[in-house]
Amino acid sequence: MTARGAAPDIRARIADLLVDGDEREIAFIERLVASFLERAPVMLADLDAAIAAGDCAVAAHRAHALKGAAANLGVSGVAGLCAETERLADAGRLGEALGHPGLLRSALAEAGDRFTEVLGDLRSGLPIVPRPA
């Protein structure tokens, strides 16, 4: 699962957050995105450490937190992979999630690219509704 598939979700979520599309709203959305992109790698590092340590309870908690942050901004690829990691951790099967942090790093990088694209469109006054793939 990659964030590329989530590009329409990111666009739709940002569009949902807009009321007027004025400068104040755009600045708010930019702050939300910047906060997510700053916090997500830290959250992922914490998740990675919990997986490496085999700590199912902490891994489930960390995966859940990152899943919520990602879902809040329409990053469904990250949210879906975190949901799978959380499910495996809850089932005591963390060994099956050893590759998830690498996949999540790639998905987060892809999401960052999508956010740059969407915010650029927003600043330029272009429509941000989901574009056809």
Side-chain angles (χ1 to χ4, degrees), residues 49-57 59 94:
I51 291 171
D55 190 330
C56 291
L94 265 183

Side-chain angles (χ1 to χ4, degrees), residues 44 47-49 51-52 81 85 97-107:
L44 177 53
L47 173 59
D48 192 11
I51 291 171
L81 191 52
T85 305
L98 290 174
H100 288 190
L103 295 171
L104 283 165
R105 271 188 278 289
S106 295

Side-chain angles (χ1 to χ4, degrees), residues 20 37-38 42 72 82-83 96 106 115 117 123:
D20 299 318
L37 293 175
E38 183 178 306
V42 175
N72 188 47
C82 284
E96 296 176 42
S106 295
F115 279 124
E117 176 186 292
R123 281 186 225 104

Side-chain angles (χ1 to χ4, degrees), residues 5-96:
D9 295 338
I10 288 171
R11 285 184 172 281
R13 180 62 184 136
I14 301 258
D16 286 347
L17 293 171
L18 292 172
V19 175
D20 299 318
D22 63 20
E23 286 297 317
R24 212 178 67 216
E25 277 186 341
I26 293 170
F28 173 72
I29 290 169
E30 288 174 330
R31 286 192 308 274
L32 284 177
V33 169
S35 176
F36 172 75
L37 293 175
E38 183 178 306
R39 290 178 319 124
V42 175
M43 296 171 82
L44 177 53
D46 291 344
L47 173 59
D48 192 11
I51 291 171
D55 190 330
C56 291
V58 172
H61 176 74
R62 301 289 190 224
H64 183 81
L66 182 53
K67 175 182 74 175
N72 188 47
L73 286 174
V75 188
S76 60
V78 171
L81 191 52
C82 284
E84 174 68 9
T85 305
E86 182 181 12
R87 186 186 66 73
L88 290 170
D90 285 340
R93 298 175 20 216
L94 265 183
E96 296 176 42

